[in-house]
Amino acid sequence: MENTYVISDIHGRYDLLKEMVDECMNLNKDTLILLGDYIDGDEKSNSYLTLQYIYQLTKKYKDHVIVLKGNHEEWFCHFVLQYSRVLKTYVTPELSTIQDFMTPYDYNELIHSAKRKSKNYVEFVDHINEMKRYYLLEHHKELIEWFSNLPLYYETNDEIFVHAGINFVLEYEDLWKEISDENDFLMDFPATIHEQFPKMVISGHIGTSQVKQDAAFHDIYRYKNRIFIDSTVIESKRLNLLKIKNHQYYQIKKNNNEWETLPVLDYFKYEE
């Protein structure tokens, strides 16, 4: 395999993801790793199309596309499948995300049906939520079961890829899998820098503007053995693309309609 590409926090921007796949990589040879949060975006997003596109990529390029779960997928699956809650923080999936899985006609029919069955607002909320769950499982069961079972991390000889972060105890580096749980993998906040951890930890979840404490910054941010790639797409209107080749890290970025390759700086050294 020639190159490894990493993208995170797509939040429904199927168009931006597809552009990068089509123009920047050859998945017959390269590897694509996706770090979660594919849903819940803005008016330009479509969560269903994004998930469906990623799912098809995993089928077409089975050994070259690795897909991890994010906290937004976990929230969505908890809402639909109603299993025991594993994350300390829970947010109901955005209405627009659920609507992306339905035709406007079907959604309006659900609303009218829930209203007919309800005597008050509380009953209406219960009915409409139950109808949404039934609809999603009836029409999209295969897709939902696929992303409900996505792994929480991916490990190579040199890196750990994860949506949010890991837990780590000095002198017990090899036990990070045992002591990390879903809240570490999916919700780690604020960003933690494990300075003596032997591998590079590459994650999304926290916008790089937050990590760098610069509201105008949305590029890839490296600090010692952490690389953060969440571009906060709803604000920046773009995704970050990390390229790994020969143990070096690069940002692939479009400038004047041309893709350019830039080294990812270690800001610990750069800011000294």
Side-chain angles (χ1 to χ4, degrees):
M1 296 184 185
E2 294 197 352
N3 307 303
T4 297
Y5 293 95
V6 192
I7 307 172
S8 187
D9 296 84
I10 297 160
H11 288 295
R13 291 304 302 267
Y14 153 80
D15 55 332
L16 299 178
L17 172 62
K18 188 175 186 302
E19 178 186 37
M20 286 179 164
V21 172
D22 290 346
E23 299 182 11
C24 299
M25 56 192 82
N26 178 359
L27 291 180
N28 289 306
K29 299 184 295 184
D30 299 325
T31 297
L32 172 62
I33 304 175
L34 301 173
L35 303 186
D37 279 10
Y38 314 114
I39 64 174
D40 294 335
D42 60 12
E43 69 281 355
K44 294 185 177 181
S45 71
N46 189 303
S47 295
Y48 171 70
L49 284 181
T50 302
L51 285 170
Q52 187 64 36
Y53 175 67
I54 294 170
Y55 187 36
Q56 293 306 316
L57 285 180
T58 66
K59 290 184 173 182
K60 186 175 181 180
Y61 305 104
K62 183 178 180 181
D63 297 323
H64 293 260
V65 178
I66 297 156
V67 185
L68 305 183
K69 184 187 284 189
N71 56 293
H72 284 259
E73 288 76 55
E74 175 62 28
W75 289 335
F76 187 96
C77 292
H78 174 80
F79 172 79
V80 176
L81 302 175
Q82 293 289 283
Y83 50 71
S84 299
R85 189 179 301 176
V86 296
L87 297 182
K88 296 175 183 176
T89 302
Y90 176 72
V91 177
T92 302
E94 294 180 9
L95 176 58
S96 61
T97 294
I98 294 175
Q99 287 177 310
D100 287 342
F101 285 76
M102 304 180 180
T103 66
Y105 174 82
D106 287 345
Y107 183 73
N108 287 331
E109 284 296 297
L110 257 64
I111 293 290
H112 294 317
S113 180
K115 285 181 177 179
R116 288 193 297 268
K117 292 182 177 181
S118 306
K119 297 178 181 178
N120 53 55
Y121 181 72
V122 173
E123 286 189 2
F124 170 76
V125 171
D126 289 340
H127 283 135
I128 194 63
N129 283 340
E130 190 57 38
M131 289 177 179
K132 289 174 185 175
R133 295 183 187 104
Y134 181 83
Y135 181 98
L136 291 166
L137 288 173
E138 182 181 27
H139 292 84
H140 305 290
K141 184 177 181 181
E142 180 181 342
L143 183 64
I144 291 171
E145 287 184 343
W146 165 71
F147 73 83
S148 71
N149 290 302
L150 291 175
L152 301 180
Y153 63 85
Y154 178 73
E155 184 180 15
T156 66
N157 289 333
D158 301 298
E159 295 97 7
I160 295 169
F161 301 88
V162 65
H163 178 64
I166 63 171
N167 200 348
F168 161 69
V169 176
L170 189 61
E171 297 181 1
Y172 297 94
E173 296 91 344
D174 294 340
L175 295 180
W176 67 269
K177 297 175 192 177
E178 285 74 18
I179 64 175
S180 299
D181 62 15
E182 289 90 346
N183 286 280
D184 297 307
F185 295 133
L186 299 178
M187 295 292 293
D188 184 50
F189 185 88
T192 53
I193 307 296
H194 305 303
E195 296 186 13
Q196 299 184 51
F197 191 72
K199 293 189 176 186
M200 182 70 72
V201 179
I202 299 172
S203 64
H205 187 59
I206 305 174
T208 58
S209 59
Q210 288 181 279
V211 181
K212 194 174 185 294
Q213 298 183 342
D214 178 353
F217 183 89
H218 296 289
D219 287 341
I220 293 172
Y221 183 84
R222 175 178 176 178
Y223 191 87
K224 296 185 179 181
N225 63 349
R226 287 296 306 266
I227 293 179
F228 302 90
I229 67 172
D230 179 5
S231 65
T232 318
V233 64
I234 293 175
E235 296 178 13
S236 68
K237 310 302 179 187
R238 64 178 177 84
L239 297 174
N240 282 327
L241 178 58
L242 175 68
K243 176 181 177 180
I244 306 172
K245 186 178 180 66
N246 297 327
H247 308 291
Q248 299 296 315
Y249 303 99
Y250 305 93
Q251 176 164 357
I252 310 299
K253 189 175 180 181
K254 182 167 274 193
N255 185 22
N256 295 324
N257 292 319
E258 296 289 336
W259 294 100
E260 59 181 1
T261 301
L262 305 169
V264 174
L265 300 174
D266 183 344
Y267 276 85
F268 172 71
K269 299 176 182 177
Y270 181 70
E271 294 175 345
E272 284 185 320

